[in-house]
Amino acid sequence: MQLYHHPFSLDSQKVRLALEEKGIDYTSFHVNPIVGKNMDSSFFRMNSSAKLPVFKNGSHTIFDTIEIILYIERIAVVSVGNNGIAFSSEEVIEWMRKIQEWNPKYFTLSHIPDKYRTFVSKFIRKVVIARMAESPDLASAYHCKLREAYETEEKLKNADVLRRSKEHLVQLLDEVETKLNETTYLVGDEFTMADVMLIPVLARLVLLDLEDEYIFSRPNIAGYWGLVQQRPSYKKVIGKYFNGWRKRKTLVKAWCILHIRNLLKRY
């Protein structure tokens, strides 16, 4: 089994948490979207949306995050041989879908300083143009990604787009806060795949230094956040890269690589 992912990708974090929680071995391939590695023709031919993660098991390839996680569950039941492992209930799957409906893209980008966001955006567009020249047979698909990049910049100027994204997030967190008033985890007192979906959302808010506004202002979520950070899966998938000083190290490393490649015009 192979997973193409990156620590910066929120959906990648969800899948990796599921793999760690279920104890499934896999081969890891880092594809850094910040420096446009997801635009390389080898990856692009496999997934022309250029989105992460991508999960492969033999000839079977899955791109949808929830489908990957449910597939991992099936593998765990069959291969791990633990009678205590069960499939997700309808309530768990309902929460998974509810969480996945919130798209973090515009919310995240709107909280990144303009000079950094613009620099990365211009670099990615240059990467797409370079890959287009290298692989003419993929020119149409690359052109779609180029147009998408420009559309993203335009939407970030639209106050309504940003407002709707924030309102959707607030509504989701308010529902979670109410639910956690009754249970330890999102669906009952046992950790489930619904929690796997929620943890990266909270981690993204912390990464953006928004925990006071969105997490600690909600007592139940604040307590839940402290609890899930103690799990080995969290420490390996997220804490390793973003807890404390590691957060600065991870971001600075990515920024240095980006500047070096831009300086050398290695798109």
Side-chain angles (χ1 to χ4, degrees), residues 142-184:
Y142 276 124
H143 184 73
C144 289
K145 297 305 296 182
L146 192 60
R147 185 171 63 248
E148 183 181 306
Y150 282 110
E151 288 174 353
T152 295
E153 288 300 312
E154 287 302 313
K155 286 183 178 180
L156 285 169
K157 300 174 184 177
N158 188 329
D160 286 339
V161 171
L162 304 181
R163 176 182 54 78
R164 286 194 297 269
S165 180
K166 179 178 180 178
E167 288 177 350
H168 191 169
L169 173 63
V170 169
Q171 180 183 358
L172 172 63
L173 293 178
D174 286 345
E175 287 188 53
V176 170
E177 176 69 8
T178 300
K179 181 65 177 176
L180 290 175
N181 197 43
E182 307 167 355
T183 58
T184 303

Side-chain angles (χ1 to χ4, degrees), residues 220-263:
N220 294 328
I221 292 181
Y224 170 89
W225 176 237
L227 177 65
V228 297
Q229 285 182 86
Q230 304 308 311
R231 298 186 74 84
S233 61
Y234 170 87
K235 293 177 182 178
K236 185 171 183 179
V237 174
I238 300 174
K240 177 181 177 181
Y241 301 97
F242 299 111
N243 271 12
W245 62 269
R246 295 183 182 90
K247 169 183 172 180
R248 185 173 298 276
K249 177 184 176 182
T250 300
L251 296 175
V252 168
K253 181 180 177 181
W255 191 244
C256 289
I257 292 172
L258 192 63
H259 268 281
I260 291 171
R261 284 190 59 184
N262 187 65
L263 183 64

Side-chain angles (χ1 to χ4, degrees), residues 63-74:
F63 308 106
D64 181 81
T65 300
I66 293 179
E67 286 184 18
I68 294 173
I69 292 174
L70 295 179
Y71 184 81
I72 289 168
E73 266 196 333
R74 293 196 294 272

Side-chain angles (χ1 to χ4, degrees), residues 46-215:
M46 179 172 57
N47 181 18
S48 60
S49 74
K51 293 179 181 179
L52 297 170
V54 173
F55 183 82
K56 294 187 71 176
N57 186 13
S59 60
H60 193 47
T61 305
I62 314 176
F63 308 106
D64 181 81
T65 300
I66 293 179
E67 286 184 18
I68 294 173
I69 292 174
L70 295 179
Y71 184 81
I72 289 168
E73 266 196 333
R74 293 196 294 272
I75 292 173
V77 170
V78 172
S79 65
V80 174
N82 186 339
N83 294 329
I85 296 178
F87 294 114
S88 289
S89 66
E90 289 185 8
E91 184 180 3
V92 169
I93 295 174
E94 182 182 347
W95 269 105
M96 290 172 69
R97 289 173 176 158
K98 185 179 295 186
I99 294 167
Q100 191 66 6
E101 283 175 0
W102 180 65
N103 185 346
K105 179 179 180 179
Y106 297 110
F107 182 87
T108 299
L109 292 175
S110 68
H111 286 87
I112 296 174
D114 288 346
K115 64 177 181 178
Y116 299 130
R117 192 188 71 238
T118 301
F119 180 84
V120 174
S121 179
K122 287 181 178 178
F123 180 86
I124 295 300
R125 292 200 297 269
K126 291 175 181 177
V127 169
V128 173
I129 293 170
R131 298 293 90 78
M132 192 185 303
E134 293 171 2
S135 305
D137 58 314
L138 296 173
S140 178
Y142 276 124
H143 184 73
C144 289
K145 297 305 296 182
L146 192 60
R147 185 171 63 248
E148 183 181 306
Y150 282 110
E151 288 174 353
T152 295
E153 288 300 312
E154 287 302 313
K155 286 183 178 180
L156 285 169
K157 300 174 184 177
N158 188 329
D160 286 339
V161 171
L162 304 181
R163 176 182 54 78
R164 286 194 297 269
S165 180
K166 179 178 180 178
E167 288 177 350
H168 191 169
L169 173 63
V170 169
Q171 180 183 358
L172 172 63
L173 293 178
D174 286 345
E175 287 188 53
V176 170
E177 176 69 8
T178 300
K179 181 65 177 176
L180 290 175
N181 197 43
E182 307 167 355
T183 58
T184 303
Y185 294 102
L186 197 50
V187 182
D189 294 325
E190 297 292 331
F191 188 91
T192 68
M193 294 298 100
D195 300 293
V196 158
M197 297 291 290
L198 179 61
I199 290 171
V201 174
L202 302 181
R204 176 59 56 89
L205 295 172
V206 174
L207 180 64
L208 295 172
D209 294 322
L210 298 172
E211 60 267 42
D212 287 342
E213 179 179 356
Y214 292 97
I215 296 178

